[in-house]
Amino acid sequence: MGKSSKYPSYSGGTINVNGSTKANTYKRGKNIISDYNMSDDERKAYDYAQKSYADSLSKINVFDNNTQKNLQSQLEAYTLNGQKMINSVYSPMLEDLKTDVASRFGNFDNSVFMDNLNAIETKRAESVSDLAQDVLAKRDELVNNELSQRYTYLNFLQDVQNQMNSNIMNYVSGSQSNSSAGNSYNAQAYAANQSSNSIGNYAKLGIGLAGTLTGFGTATSAVMDIIGKYSSKSK
């Protein structure tokens, strides 16, 4: 019988990019391990995304003093602009009323002036009330925009991590596929070698058996000759 070849050892797998190993799958003891090799820039981006996400998550709904001052400043600017718009509408109306009444009556102590003045002031008051409602709505809008930007930033940081993790898994999966292909090739080569050895052993066995049968035939022929000679003498 021929000597059996040793079963092939575990074959690892690697993925190289521009001559550098990005992912590697290998056997350590009884464990199969897959590693991904980050570049310095990848590590900086990954660490930054993780740290920034953790830092931002704990205070996403908390507005510090600077944020509150910024929102208040925007709200005051919005309020002031609304007041200017109201004054730009009603101040000319009051001046026109005064001019008209003065030219017609010589003074403002009359019902025409007072009636028109009250109508203008009523409209002004309504506009101021509308502005107050708009200011409240603007405050909610500013708060929601701030929160939306923060959540968008958090999603961006999470997307960065998820994309990098996905890239890592793709590279690792590639190295594992290479490892599987190598092991499959080794197993097939081993099986082919074993098959070849078996055929050779069977061939040798056939040759040996044929020789044995030939020898057995020769011995049988000699015995038959002796028996024939003995029978002739007996007659």
Side-chain angles (χ1 to χ4, degrees):
M1 298 290 288
K3 186 178 180 181
S4 299
S5 62
K6 184 179 179 181
Y7 193 81
S9 60
Y10 176 82
S11 177
T14 61
I15 295 292
N16 293 334
V17 178
N18 292 331
S20 299
T21 299
K22 293 300 295 181
N24 187 26
T25 296
Y26 54 95
K27 189 173 186 292
R28 179 185 293 168
K30 296 182 179 180
N31 299 319
I32 303 299
I33 300 173
S34 293
D35 287 334
Y36 177 78
N37 301 315
M38 281 188 175
S39 67
D40 291 340
D41 290 336
E42 284 179 312
R43 186 174 291 105
K44 289 178 182 178
Y46 193 79
D47 291 344
Y48 174 83
Q50 279 195 321
K51 185 177 186 307
S52 297
Y53 185 85
D55 292 343
S56 300
L57 189 62
S58 61
K59 53 189 177 184
I60 186 170
N61 292 322
V62 179
F63 292 171
D64 58 21
N65 289 334
N66 289 333
T67 301
Q68 293 183 35
K69 288 179 181 179
N70 181 47
L71 295 178
Q72 184 62 32
S73 176
Q74 294 183 64
L75 195 61
E76 289 175 355
Y78 180 83
T79 302
L80 182 59
N81 185 59
Q83 291 173 340
K84 288 181 177 179
M85 291 182 62
I86 290 174
N87 291 333
S88 69
V89 172
Y90 292 102
S91 292
M93 293 175 65
L94 287 173
E95 291 301 322
D96 291 343
L97 175 61
K98 291 178 180 180
T99 300
D100 179 61
V101 170
S103 63
R104 291 168 57 189
F105 302 102
N107 59 69
F108 303 125
D109 186 17
N110 56 75
S111 60
V112 174
F113 176 75
M114 295 305 299
D115 290 344
N116 283 278
L117 178 61
N118 289 335
I120 292 174
E121 289 301 333
T122 298
K123 292 294 184 181
R124 187 205 291 265
E126 291 176 356
S127 296
V128 171
S129 178
D130 290 342
L131 175 61
Q133 297 298 318
D134 290 344
V135 169
L136 292 176
K138 185 64 175 179
R139 182 194 62 186
D140 292 341
E141 178 186 334
L142 292 173
V143 170
N144 290 334
N145 285 343
E146 177 67 22
L147 290 175
S148 178
Q149 291 176 10
R150 293 184 177 195
Y151 279 103
T152 298
Y153 181 60
L154 277 181
N155 288 334
F156 165 74
L157 294 174
Q158 195 170 45
D159 287 343
V160 170
Q161 296 179 71
N162 290 340
Q163 183 59 55
M164 294 187 72
N165 286 333
S166 178
N167 290 341
I168 290 171
M169 292 307 298
N170 288 336
Y171 276 112
V172 167
S173 178
S175 71
Q176 292 172 345
S177 295
N178 285 348
S179 175
S180 296
N183 286 310
S184 177
Y185 174 82
N186 289 340
Q188 291 175 10
Y190 174 79
N193 185 63
Q194 289 295 95
S195 176
S196 176
N197 287 339
S198 296
I199 293 173
N201 291 333
Y202 285 134
K204 292 177 181 178
L205 177 62
I207 293 173
L209 181 60
T212 301
L213 292 176
T214 301
F216 177 75
T218 302
T220 301
S221 177
V223 171
M224 293 303 294
D225 288 342
I226 293 173
I227 292 175
K229 291 179 180 180
Y230 180 78
S231 298
S232 298
K233 291 180 178 180
S234 296
K235 292 179 180 179

